[in-house]
């Protein structure tokens, strides 16, 4: 009888030990899960903060640019005797926003970008107002007694000189524009083997990286010096393919902000220099015809298409 009691007592002790061990294991597992989830949350928050910081810096640059443009119009309209009160209010709002030290949220950044885009319309409106004020001032000036004929002749001469100067400058500007020659598009697979677009259509399995190469044509009129060269890859839907994490960004073309896929900063030396760009998309390309557009500074210098099956 005593032996049975001792056996039962021993079994209960063993059971209690097992329960304690199980509880300790569960606590270790739960602690590990908690540490992992905390790490993931911290990593995610850090990435979000870095992205917002980049977007805030780019937004501040656009705020500086549009504020500068508004200041030019304010000075010109004030000189011509126009009303600058509304423009000053808009400019002061932008300056206050630019000088703000708070970190903007994604929605606030998007709202401000939309506001900046809408301001292009206001700037165009003020440019028209400046032209009208100039015309009105010229008319008043021409009507001054004793100066009508003389002033008209002077204005005509100045206008003709300005037109000639603008025409000459326009011709120089056009002549100095660079051109991309011998544009070649290749798909580079994971082993570094290249397939040129003139052979066959590309397949996604061959496109570890996209390679775009060309040379800048000889141009003795173009001024030597630094240039920004952008390559924009457009999908079959005509939308730019870009990834900010891989070097993509935005640039201005004809007063509009667009995304570029890859970029290089070069020193143009008129040596018909060869340029090569690589882009690793990280995901499959959409089937269909894609277009490569090449820009130097703020104008297009070449284009070519390729097809993905």
């Amino acid at each position: 009888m005593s032996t049975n009691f001792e056996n039962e007592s021993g079994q209960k002790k063993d059971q209690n030990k097992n329960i304690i061990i199980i509880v300790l294991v569960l606590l270790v597992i739960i602690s590990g899960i908690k540490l992992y989830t905390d790490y993931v949350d911290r990593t995610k928050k850090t990435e979000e903060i870095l992205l917002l910081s980049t977007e805030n810096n780019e937004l501040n640059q656009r705020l500086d640019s549009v504020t500068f443009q508004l200041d030019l119009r304010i000075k010109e309209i004030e000189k011509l005797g126009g009303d600058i009160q509304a423009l000053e209010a808009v400019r002061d709002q932008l300056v206050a926003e630019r000088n703000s030290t708070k970190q903007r949220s994604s929605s606030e950044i998007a709202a401000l970008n939309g506001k900046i885009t809408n301001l292009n319309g206001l700037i165009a409106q003020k440019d028209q107002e400046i032209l009208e004020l100039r015309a009105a001032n010229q008319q008043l000036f021409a009507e001054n007694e004793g100066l009508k004929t003389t002033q008209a002749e002077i204005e005509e001469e100045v206008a003709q000189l300005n037109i000639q100067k603008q025409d000459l400058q326009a011709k120089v500007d056009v002549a100095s524009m660079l051109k991309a020659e011998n544009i070649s598009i290749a798909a580079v697979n994971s082993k570094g083997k290249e397939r040129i677009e003139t052979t066959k259509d590309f397949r996604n399995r061959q496109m570890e990286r996209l390679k775009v190469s060309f040379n800048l044509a000889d141009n003795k009129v173009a001024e030597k010096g630094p240039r920004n060269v952008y390559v924009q890859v457009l999908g079959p839907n005509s939308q730019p393919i870009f990834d900010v994490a891989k070097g993509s960004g935005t640039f201005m073309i004809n007063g509009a902000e667009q995304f570029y896929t890859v970029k290089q900063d070069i020193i143009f030396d008129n040596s018909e220099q060869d340029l090569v760009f690589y882009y690793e998309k990280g995901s499959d390309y959409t089937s269909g015809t894609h277009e490569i557009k090449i820009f130097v500074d703020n104008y297009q210098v070449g284009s070519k298409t390729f097809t993905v099956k």
Side-chain angles (χ1 to χ4, degrees):
M1 187 73 174
S2 173
T3 302
N4 291 336
F5 178 80
E6 290 174 355
N7 289 336
E8 290 176 359
S9 176
Q11 290 175 355
K12 288 183 178 179
K13 288 180 178 179
D14 291 337
Q15 290 175 352
N16 289 336
K17 288 181 180 178
N18 291 335
I19 290 172
I20 291 172
I21 291 171
I22 292 171
V23 170
L24 289 174
V25 170
L26 288 173
L27 288 174
V28 170
I29 292 173
I30 292 171
S31 297
I33 293 172
K34 181 68 167 58
L35 288 171
Y36 177 75
T37 55
D38 288 345
Y39 170 77
V40 171
D41 288 341
R42 286 195 301 272
T43 301
K44 184 177 180 181
K45 288 178 181 177
T46 300
E47 292 174 349
E48 291 174 349
I49 290 171
L50 288 173
L51 180 60
L52 280 175
S53 178
T54 299
E55 292 176 346
N56 267 290
N57 289 337
E58 293 175 351
L59 176 60
N60 284 336
Q61 291 177 1
R62 288 192 285 274
L63 285 170
D64 288 338
S65 176
V66 75
T67 300
F68 175 75
Q69 293 298 324
L70 286 174
D71 270 327
L72 292 179
R73 274 68 178 182
I74 288 171
K75 291 176 182 177
E76 185 65 15
I77 292 173
E78 184 178 29
K79 184 174 69 175
L80 294 170
D83 184 9
I84 59 172
Q85 186 174 356
L87 267 185
E88 285 183 322
V90 174
R91 180 201 58 192
D92 292 343
Q93 289 176 3
L94 293 176
V95 171
E97 184 60 45
R98 175 64 176 87
N99 293 335
S100 174
T101 57
K102 73 173 185 176
Q103 186 74 5
R104 306 178 186 91
S105 65
S106 295
S107 59
E108 289 173 330
I109 291 173
L112 278 171
N113 278 326
K115 183 176 181 180
I116 290 172
T117 300
N118 291 335
L119 283 175
N120 290 329
L122 176 62
I123 289 173
Q125 177 185 338
K126 293 304 176 182
D127 285 342
Q128 181 61 36
E129 182 179 330
I130 287 171
L131 291 176
E132 293 172 357
L133 285 170
R134 285 175 178 168
N137 283 352
Q138 289 171 358
Q139 182 177 356
L140 288 172
F141 190 75
E143 290 175 353
N144 285 335
E145 186 175 355
L147 295 176
K148 288 183 180 179
T149 302
T150 303
Q151 184 61 32
E153 291 172 352
I154 292 173
E155 291 293 333
E156 179 63 23
E157 289 177 5
V158 170
Q160 290 298 325
L161 287 173
N162 285 334
I163 291 173
Q164 292 173 11
K165 182 180 178 181
Q166 290 170 2
D167 288 344
L168 179 59
Q169 186 61 49
K171 291 176 182 177
V172 171
D173 290 343
V174 171
S176 65
M177 293 177 74
L178 302 180
K179 181 181 179 182
E181 292 184 329
N182 304 314
I183 302 171
S184 175
I185 304 171
V188 184
N189 64 20
S190 57
K191 297 180 180 179
K193 183 178 179 181
E194 294 184 9
R195 180 182 291 269
I196 307 298
E197 88 288 346
T198 55
T199 57
K200 292 183 179 180
D201 296 337
F202 295 150
R203 299 181 184 276
N204 271 295
R205 67 174 181 270
Q206 303 162 343
M207 301 185 69
E208 179 76 14
R209 290 187 299 166
L210 182 68
K211 176 183 176 182
V212 180
S213 56
F214 56 90
N215 69 278
L216 296 175
D218 175 71
N219 189 329
K220 294 180 175 57
V221 179
E223 182 179 354
K224 296 180 180 180
R227 297 285 195 281
N228 297 316
V229 184
Y230 307 93
V231 171
Q232 187 183 63
V233 183
L234 302 175
N237 60 356
S238 298
Q239 294 302 309
I241 296 173
F242 63 92
D243 186 343
V244 175
K246 294 182 180 179
S248 302
T250 60
F251 67 126
M252 299 300 294
I253 292 292
N254 297 324
E257 188 175 29
Q258 294 191 32
F259 279 97
Y260 62 82
T261 307
V262 285
K263 170 193 175 185
Q264 284 187 32
D265 297 329
I266 68 165
I267 301 298
F268 174 71
D269 57 9
N270 198 32
S271 63
E272 300 185 34
Q273 57 212 99
D274 295 317
L275 299 178
V276 179
F277 292 77
Y278 289 95
Y279 179 67
E280 185 175 347
K281 188 172 183 291
S283 60
D284 285 351
Y285 286 82
T286 304
S287 297
T289 300
H290 295 63
E291 184 178 11
I292 298 289
K293 288 186 177 181
I294 302 168
F295 299 86
V296 172
D297 294 334
N298 60 352
Y299 60 91
Q300 185 173 333
V301 299
S303 65
K304 196 165 188 177
T305 60
F306 66 94
T307 304
V308 178
K309 283 192 174 180

